[in-house]
Amino acid sequence: MITFGSLSTYPPTLCGLASFTASLRAALPPGSAGGVVRAVESTEPGGRPEVVGDLVAGSPESWRAAAALLDRDDVAIVQHEYGIYGGADGEDVLRVLELLSVPAIVVLHTVLTTPTPHQREVLDGVLAAAAAVVVMSEAARARLVAGYDVPAGRLVVIPHGAPDNGGAAAVPHHSQHRQILTWGLLGPGKGIEWGIDAMALLPAQWPEPRYLVAGRTHPKVQAQQGESYRRSLQLRTERLGVQDRVRFDSRYLAAASLRRLVTHAEVVLLPYDSRDQVTSGVLIEAVTSRTPVVATRFPHAVELLSGGAGLLVDHRDPAAIADALQEILTDRAAAGRMAAAAGIAARSLGWASVATQYSRLGAELVSAGTRVVA
């Protein structure tokens, strides 16, 4: 059996890539999950037993140590996002990739349509060093092929992955309130303001819809701006007179608590401002929970909801959001069809299925002798 080392942020760091890496490792076949090298700003004490070392931003000694630790396993799975590694646009990751002897599967979480020259240079270097490149949607694959130099034979689409809740479609909860949910690390660009505006446009009805915004402020946003974004949202609810319709939960929820929250929602709302987002773990988890989704037309949502698992709306359009929410809340047959479509899409999105695809890809790389002689 081959083993997989991991280079990424990692819990207890709060970020999507950390959660992704932990979930993927947990789903790999028994005995195949190797050591984790954490990407950190500075050396951090403690950590989980599987963490074998840290890649410290800006430290050449750390680059060499990280590569040596990853070389203990047969394949390295490297998460790529511009903001998690040291150096300009995360260029430190290039130094590690250059030093690796084992093949690297690089997982791209962002593919920019208009990168800066240096962002393009960094990603070109990452693509050149990777034995295989994984993107998580067809939209990302098309964007990468159109804008970057990556051999088609090294490019693979593997979905993001989510817990497979496997249950029936969400059903109405006969209580005083019906829940609309947005969750994730909070910060500008999430579009929560448009969701709040939409709540002000929803007609009175019973049971009354409530909008829950769940999640801590993103650590990097908090470090730079404190809680100013969250406060601006709370002030917006007061100005619009919907403070009784909108609730904020600033906790970082454990996976089991989050799954319960999602499965008890009647609608998941993703009003993101981004028009470039080709990967959304939150979207994947909403679909695997069989909960109808209302999302702006970012590329991953357009792709994943095309089978009928939700409704798409224009960006920054509270009226369209309100209309879509109203349709799902009042037309139970339509909501049921969306949940059924989500169930069909969910079959290939569970972590077990995703981890199997990574295992096969790693085995192919090792079998093909893609190990590099340093």
Side-chain angles (χ1 to χ4, degrees):
M1 175 178 291
I2 65 172
T3 60
F4 295 85
S6 299
L7 175 60
S8 176
T9 54
Y10 200 71
T13 298
L14 303 180
C15 87
L17 273 69
S19 299
F20 177 97
T21 301
S23 297
L24 177 58
R25 286 188 80 261
L28 288 169
S32 64
V36 176
V37 177
R38 295 184 301 182
V40 295
E41 293 292 327
S42 58
T43 302
E44 297 181 2
R48 300 186 180 185
E50 62 267 29
V51 175
V52 294
D54 291 341
L55 173 60
V56 181
S59 168
E61 291 182 3
S62 178
W63 305 338
R64 291 187 288 272
L69 290 168
L70 292 168
D71 277 342
R72 293 178 180 177
D73 292 300
D74 299 300
V75 177
I77 300 179
V78 178
Q79 308 302 323
H80 183 263
E81 180 68 87
Y82 289 104
I84 69 169
Y85 300 110
D89 298 317
E91 64 184 359
D92 280 8
V93 72
L94 295 175
R95 311 289 87 82
V96 180
L97 290 170
E98 290 165 358
L99 292 166
L100 275 181
S101 295
V102 297
I105 298 173
V106 174
V107 184
L108 302 185
H109 290 257
T110 296
V111 182
L112 299 174
T113 50
T114 54
T116 66
H118 191 258
Q119 286 172 332
R120 176 179 290 280
E121 180 182 337
V122 169
L123 187 52
D124 282 342
V126 168
L127 297 174
V133 178
V134 171
V135 291
M136 303 184 209
S137 65
E138 288 296 334
R141 186 201 62 78
R143 182 175 296 178
L144 197 64
V145 169
Y148 297 84
D149 183 16
V150 54
R154 288 196 283 125
L155 182 56
V156 183
V157 179
I158 302 178
H160 182 285
D164 188 353
N165 296 305
V171 297
H173 298 281
H174 299 289
S175 61
Q176 186 176 358
H177 304 298
R178 302 168 70 184
Q179 188 156 285
I180 300 162
L181 174 67
T182 297
W183 85 93
L185 294 172
L186 198 61
K190 290 291 187 180
I192 309 300
E193 44 272 72
W194 319 122
I196 293 171
D197 290 358
M199 294 304 295
L201 298 174
L202 279 179
Q205 54 194 282
W206 187 264
E208 185 178 33
R210 292 287 179 88
Y211 182 28
L212 174 61
V213 180
R216 289 182 55 175
T217 297
H218 194 290
K220 291 190 175 181
V221 173
Q222 191 167 42
Q224 297 171 0
Q225 305 174 20
E227 294 290 349
S228 60
Y229 180 64
R230 186 184 299 273
R231 285 197 296 270
S232 74
L233 297 175
Q234 291 168 334
L235 289 172
R236 196 181 194 97
T237 67
E238 295 170 9
R239 186 171 68 251
L240 294 172
V242 293
Q243 61 268 41
D244 292 336
R245 281 188 166 193
V246 181
R247 184 166 68 89
F248 295 87
D249 184 342
S250 61
R251 296 174 296 166
Y252 188 84
L253 297 173
S257 298
L258 179 58
R259 282 196 294 274
R260 285 194 297 271
L261 193 65
V262 177
T263 54
H264 280 78
E266 292 201 39
V267 189
V268 168
L269 173 60
L270 306 180
Y272 300 165
D273 287 340
S274 173
R275 299 173 188 270
D276 288 335
Q277 190 164 350
V278 291
T279 302
S280 172
V282 172
L283 173 62
I284 292 281
E285 190 152 351
V287 170
T288 58
S289 74
R290 284 70 166 172
T291 304
V293 177
V294 172
T296 48
R297 299 179 191 277
F298 58 92
H300 198 192
V302 171
E303 180 176 320
L304 196 56
L305 300 182
S306 64
L311 298 174
L312 296 165
V313 296
D314 289 338
H315 289 82
R316 302 186 175 214
D317 190 340
I321 293 172
D323 288 345
L325 293 175
Q326 181 72 354
E327 178 177 343
I328 294 172
L329 291 171
T330 58
D331 188 340
R332 300 313 304 167
R337 289 192 295 271
M338 292 176 201
I344 294 171
R347 294 172 185 169
S348 63
L349 300 176
W351 277 118
S353 172
V354 168
T356 296
Q357 294 177 70
Y358 276 94
S359 295
R360 289 173 180 165
L361 177 58
E364 289 171 5
L365 295 177
V366 172
S367 176
T370 54
R371 186 181 183 93
V372 178
V373 179

